[in-house]
Amino acid sequence: MSKIQDRAVLVVVDVQNGFIREASAPVVPVIADLVARWQAAGRDVVFTRYLNYPGSPFERLINWSDLMDSPQTDIVPELQPYAEKATAVIDKKGYGLFADAAGAALVAERGWQDIYVCGIATESCVLATCLGAFEADLTPWLVEDASASHAGQHVHDSGVLVTRRFIGEGQIIAAGDIPVELASSQLEACEA
């Protein structure tokens, strides 16, 4: 395996039933294709799930009490088969992968350095995961066309703008920009 293969992970952030709206639904097949190609190449994939709880900062400060129970907290059906084959599914109570100790511990344990991030919502949990990787002295990559906001395109665009300011212009990429050794163009290994 090349050095880039050894150190890279794809993080699929919070593609859960409770975050799917008209604005975010179109990104699901894009993410499914990316995960399928990533897994076909034998690469590590981590899914995150946000789990809200009574008395959380989201409930206390934002008056938001969604995503406390199934089916809202479930990963969308289109991604379930990939989540079952994932390296890990990390449940978290904050915005990003690094919000809870389990996410940061897994990244450190596996020695991942390049953190490719996609999912929902670009302006919050995706951004927080990219920023967490940056602050952990890792190399974050926001996969822009595999991310969305359930609040609409203008909010997604704002999230990309802020992420770009936090982690650097060159860290915002399209799925087609991912090195071929990380995301196979052959899907036969994933089709069942």
Side-chain angles (χ1 to χ4, degrees), residues 143-179:
V143 187
E144 181 178 3
D145 58 339
S147 299
S149 173
H150 54 282
Q153 184 66 39
H154 67 288
V155 179
H156 165 77
D157 293 342
S158 297
V160 172
L161 174 68
V162 173
T163 304
R164 180 179 287 118
R165 297 279 296 153
F166 274 128
I167 68 172
E169 176 78 30
Q171 303 315 112
I172 311 299
I173 61 172
D177 297 331
I178 295 172

Side-chain angles (χ1 to χ4, degrees), residues 44-155:
D44 290 317
V45 176
V46 171
F47 282 79
T48 68
R49 289 187 327 151
Y50 172 70
L51 304 178
N52 202 359
Y53 59 94
S56 74
F58 297 94
E59 187 177 69
R60 289 185 302 107
L61 304 173
I62 305 173
N63 296 318
W64 186 73
S65 58
D66 288 345
L67 276 97
M68 288 196 187
D69 299 302
S70 180
Q72 282 194 333
T73 58
D74 298 340
I75 292 171
V76 297
E78 299 90 333
L79 294 179
Q80 275 295 331
Y82 303 111
E84 291 170 7
K85 294 187 263 180
T87 306
V89 176
I90 300 290
D91 290 338
K92 60 188 182 61
K93 295 180 179 175
Y95 284 112
L97 173 66
F98 298 89
D100 290 341
L106 180 64
V107 171
E109 172 189 309
R110 298 299 284 244
W112 295 319
Q113 294 293 311
D114 286 282
I115 315 297
Y116 289 82
V117 184
C118 66
I120 303 170
T122 312
E123 78 284 2
S124 56
C125 298
V126 171
L127 182 152
T129 298
C130 289
L131 183 56
F134 181 92
E135 290 181 330
D137 199 23
L138 304 171
T139 304
W141 302 91
L142 170 60
V143 187
E144 181 178 3
D145 58 339
S147 299
S149 173
H150 54 282
Q153 184 66 39
H154 67 288
V155 179

